[in-house]
Amino acid sequence: MVSKRQSRLEGHRRKFMAVIDNTPECGRAVRYAGMRAKNSGGGLVLLYVISDADFNQWIGVGDIMRAEAREEAETVMATIAQRVRNEIGAEPELVIREGKASDQILQLIEDDRDIAILVLAAGSGKEGPGPLVQQVAGRGAAFPIPVTIIPDSLTDEDIDALS
């Protein structure tokens, strides 16, 4: 069970969260979440999760790999944040965490009780809509907040018109 959302209380605002990863569809989720946040007076949270599965090497090697992954995450987040500022005119809140993506998504939702909507984008590959969409859909009614899934066929203009 997730804590009660506070986004409608005085001094709070509803936040839309998008997950940043290396998939081509990630940009559509960010655009939709950013436009919805801007158009509704809400906030935008961008989450990048560094997988810790590869860091179980020898301590020294694992630490170097972790530092390199963190540096890459910060670079990717800075690039996306600048694009959000330029194209949408919104200031995103950037969060970088380490662990399993689905666990970190749920933990951030629990930690930030203003996050009210998770935005994901479906992929168009033969593998299906993508691992995050599949994991969230697999949880079904057990997911703690509403999830918006952006179809792979929407253009930026379509997304802007819908948000």
Side-chain angles (χ1 to χ4, degrees):
M1 187 166 139
V2 72
S3 298
K4 185 173 177 155
R5 304 288 86 194
Q6 295 180 331
S7 58
R8 294 294 185 184
L9 299 177
E10 188 174 331
H12 295 266
R13 64 184 179 155
R14 178 175 57 174
K15 294 180 183 178
F16 295 81
M17 180 172 68
V19 178
I20 306 304
D21 55 23
N22 294 324
T23 62
E25 58 268 18
C26 165
R28 287 196 322 279
V30 170
R31 185 170 193 94
Y32 182 83
M35 292 298 293
R36 286 285 292 135
K38 178 183 174 186
N39 292 336
S40 67
L44 172 62
V45 176
L46 302 178
L47 171 64
Y48 188 109
V49 179
I50 300 168
S51 174
D52 63 357
D54 298 328
F55 302 147
N56 296 328
Q57 311 285 333
W58 295 296
I59 293 174
V61 175
D63 290 344
I64 292 170
M65 292 173 68
R66 181 174 282 112
E68 289 172 351
R70 179 76 184 197
E71 186 176 317
E72 178 185 346
E74 289 171 353
T75 300
V76 168
M77 291 291 268
T79 301
I80 291 174
Q82 189 59 46
R83 189 168 23 143
V84 167
R85 288 182 202 105
N86 293 342
E87 295 178 13
I88 299 173
E91 184 60 42
E93 182 180 331
L94 307 177
V95 178
I96 299 173
R97 293 198 171 183
E98 186 177 312
K100 183 178 174 189
S102 57
D103 293 343
Q104 294 305 316
I105 291 168
L106 291 171
Q107 188 60 55
L108 183 56
I109 291 168
E110 180 62 27
D111 293 346
D112 186 342
R113 293 174 35 191
D114 288 342
I115 295 173
I117 298 174
L118 172 62
V119 179
L120 301 173
S124 58
K126 295 177 189 174
E127 312 79 45
L132 277 179
V133 172
Q134 290 174 335
Q135 287 174 0
V136 169
R139 289 184 57 95
F143 204 78
I145 61 173
V147 179
T148 300
I149 299 175
I150 309 305
D152 68 318
S153 60
L154 295 183
T155 65
D156 285 350
E157 293 78 24
D158 294 333
I159 290 170
D160 294 351
L162 290 168
S163 56

